[in-house]
Amino acid sequence: MSLKVHHVGYLVKNIDKAAAQFETLGYTIINEKCRDDYRKVDIIFMEKDGYEIELVSPFSDDSVVSGLMSRFKNSPYHICYEADDLEKASAELTANGFTAIDVPTTAPAIDGRRVQFLMGRFAGMIELLEKNDMP
Ligand code: NI
């Protein structure tokens, strides 16, 4: 299994003000605000020094991250890993102590590529992203 760090997911209450504040730190927007209607979150991708962050902000009380938001406010909450083969990586991780917390679903903010979230009892939440076949 080959996993490559893709981005750090960052939970934020006010996505526009958060993006402005990250710009102050030197980050630039690489993907303008995108609404994910399935997860009920707005997403902005930013980059600095080769590191990508994903700002995630719920627009509804029943979004997938609303529960997390009440606990963590503005903070990083997952690391996303790109996998050559999503199903294979997921199977290998679940055979090694991780639990899938959803099924693979397309992510409109990442070119419609499929993602899946898993939880590790000791490592916390991670995201798997299927590798883009396009050059
Ligand atoms: Ni993510």
Side-chain angles (χ1 to χ4, degrees), residues 7 54 78 80 127:
H7 66 260
E54 173 194 37
H78 72 261
C80 175
E127 178 181 24

Side-chain angles (χ1 to χ4, degrees), residues 53-72:
I53 58 171
E54 173 194 37
L55 305 184
V56 180
S57 187
F59 61 79
S60 167
D61 285 343
D62 60 346
S63 87
V64 290
V65 294
S66 293
L68 291 172
M69 179 59 84
S70 63
R71 271 158 52 205
F72 297 120

Side-chain angles (χ1 to χ4, degrees), residues 21-113:
Q21 200 138 58
F22 276 105
E23 280 178 333
T24 302
L25 290 167
Y27 289 79
T28 53
I29 291 176
I30 53 174
N31 253 348
E32 292 293 340
K33 186 159 64 181
C34 175
R35 179 150 284 199
D36 185 330
D37 286 311
Y38 173 71
R39 296 180 182 80
K40 299 188 181 177
V41 293
D42 288 320
I43 291 172
I44 293 176
F45 273 91
M46 303 184 79
E47 184 269 340
K48 176 177 166 58
D49 305 328
Y51 292 94
E52 283 189 30
I53 58 171
E54 173 194 37
L55 305 184
V56 180
S57 187
F59 61 79
S60 167
D61 285 343
D62 60 346
S63 87
V64 290
V65 294
S66 293
L68 291 172
M69 179 59 84
S70 63
R71 271 158 52 205
F72 297 120
K73 306 269 184 320
N74 304 303
S75 73
Y77 74 109
H78 72 261
I79 297 179
C80 175
Y81 301 90
E82 192 176 58
D84 289 341
D85 183 326
L86 181 62
E87 272 72 20
K88 209 170 143 190
S90 177
E92 200 166 327
L93 288 173
T94 52
N96 284 281
F98 283 82
T99 305
I101 55 178
D102 65 3
V103 294
T105 317
T106 57
I110 320 179
D111 309 322
R113 288 155 72 182

